[in-house]
Amino acid sequence: MTGRTGAGRAVPGVGAVEGGLRADCARCFGLCCVAPAFAASADFAHDKPAGQPCRNLRTDFGCGIHPELRERGFAGCTVFDCFGAGQRVAQQTFGGRDWRNAPEHAGQMFDVFAVMRSLHELLWYLTEALRLRPPADLAAQVSAALAETDTLASGSPQDLLTLDVDGHRAKLNVLLSRTAELARTRGGGAGADHRGAVLVGRDLRRVDLRRANLRGATLIGADLRGVDLTRADLTGADLRGADLRGADLSDALFLHQAQVDAARGDRQTRLPVRLGRPAHWSALPLTPRRTRRR
């Protein structure tokens, strides 16, 4: 199976898998609105126990307030991405049976959804790794990992529930880290290492983050206005509320749509060609701060 990069070049190992990594809510049964628990917070307007439908879920499995989620206090819903796990569980794993008409399968379906979501997230990262065109030996390992993970995701409910997802993720993270490291240093040296750093609310406008390692970094509310993040590794970085106005993420590594949706930006924010500009981002360009005279 092959896919295409933004430049139209074929990428071995991508294609059929990639097509199933975008959420298709019309083919799901609102699993993300039922299976997870959430607590009242800035992201959710009320508590919801795991396995209980959200009060906004309609009988047709659509969201009753979808166009107004942010305004109604459900910003957390707008930044959740199942990477296509929902429709796979609904249509493939459970053969089109929904939890309302087959309540005897509901608990198992919700548990499987959590496993599938993790596997589909890994599939997304693996396809992105292949887009970075690693050396042939590493590309072969990533392709094999992609095929193995897709095979695991095709298992029965029982197979999925007994799968050691954490162990599988740890194994693949070695490949993904190596791929990212090679991509960061291609054509130049590596940038700063901020892996796992807690940078909540930090003003990073004068920090050089080109080719930086920001894997797992907590950037909640960080000021990244105008920052160049070229070839920065953003795997698992928490960008909730981060100010990306005027920032350049066009060549950032492992940046996915949910991270972008969780941040703030404007029309001057540069994104990878495969990612969309969130509707809630400001249409106004970055306004420089005035310097106080002393």
Side-chain angles (χ1 to χ4, degrees):
M1 51 189 173
T2 60
R4 300 274 173 187
T5 65
R9 296 174 296 173
V11 179
V14 183
V17 169
E18 182 186 32
L21 299 181
R22 290 181 289 274
D24 183 354
C25 299
R27 301 182 64 237
C28 184
F29 301 129
L31 293 177
C32 66
C33 305
V34 187
F38 54 74
S41 63
D43 292 324
F44 299 103
H46 60 78
D47 294 326
K48 188 194 80 64
Q52 178 177 306
C54 173
R55 64 183 64 170
N56 300 309
L57 185 65
R58 301 190 309 239
T59 56
D60 65 354
F61 302 110
C63 175
I65 62 168
H66 191 269
E68 304 174 320
L69 281 168
R70 284 186 173 273
E71 294 76 7
R72 301 280 288 270
F74 290 89
C77 297
T78 68
V79 301
F80 178 81
D81 191 348
C82 76
F83 297 96
Q87 67 258 26
R88 188 165 192 172
V89 170
Q91 302 301 330
Q92 180 176 314
T93 314
F94 286 88
R97 292 170 294 181
D98 69 73
W99 49 271
R100 280 196 175 118
N101 292 318
E104 67 277 13
H105 296 291
Q108 186 183 56
M109 186 181 297
F110 301 152
D111 291 342
V112 166
F113 174 66
V115 176
M116 188 70 78
R117 198 268 178 190
S118 294
L119 291 174
H120 269 230
E121 182 179 34
L122 288 170
L123 288 171
W124 184 88
Y125 278 114
L126 291 165
T127 59
E128 287 298 300
L130 288 175
R131 288 185 190 282
L132 297 176
R133 295 188 170 278
D137 60 334
L138 182 55
Q141 294 178 61
V142 174
S143 293
L146 181 69
E148 178 189 7
T149 304
D150 191 44
T151 297
L152 292 173
S154 298
S156 68
Q158 293 75 20
D159 292 335
L160 288 162
L161 292 177
T162 57
L163 178 65
D164 179 6
V165 180
D166 291 338
H168 186 64
R169 182 186 295 109
K171 179 177 68 174
L172 299 191
N173 272 341
V174 175
L175 291 177
L176 294 171
S177 294
R178 184 180 168 200
T179 303
E181 191 68 16
L182 290 174
R184 284 199 307 125
T185 57
R186 186 179 299 153
D193 187 356
H194 298 292
R195 180 169 185 162
V198 178
L199 301 169
V200 177
R202 290 278 296 276
D203 185 344
L204 300 172
R205 288 175 295 168
R206 294 177 178 82
V207 178
D208 186 358
L209 293 178
R210 291 170 297 175
R211 302 176 181 272
N213 185 348
L214 290 164
R215 292 175 69 89
T218 304
L219 293 158
I220 298 173
D223 191 343
L224 292 159
R225 287 176 293 167
V227 173
D228 185 352
L229 288 157
T230 297
R231 291 193 177 274
D233 181 4
L234 292 171
T235 302
D238 192 339
L239 294 173
R240 284 178 293 167
D243 194 340
L244 300 177
R245 287 177 291 169
D248 185 358
L249 299 97
S250 58
D251 200 25
L253 308 179
F254 296 113
L255 176 70
H256 59 69
Q257 188 66 52
Q259 289 172 296
V260 172
D261 291 343
R264 300 161 54 205
D266 62 11
R267 66 186 183 188
Q268 290 184 329
T269 305
R270 298 180 62 188
L271 296 172
V273 294
R274 293 184 301 282
L275 300 185
R277 193 172 302 275
H280 69 276
W281 278 17
S282 172
L284 299 176
L286 174 65
T287 301
R289 290 181 176 178
R290 293 182 180 178
T291 303
R292 291 183 177 180
R293 294 182 179 179
R294 301 195 177 188

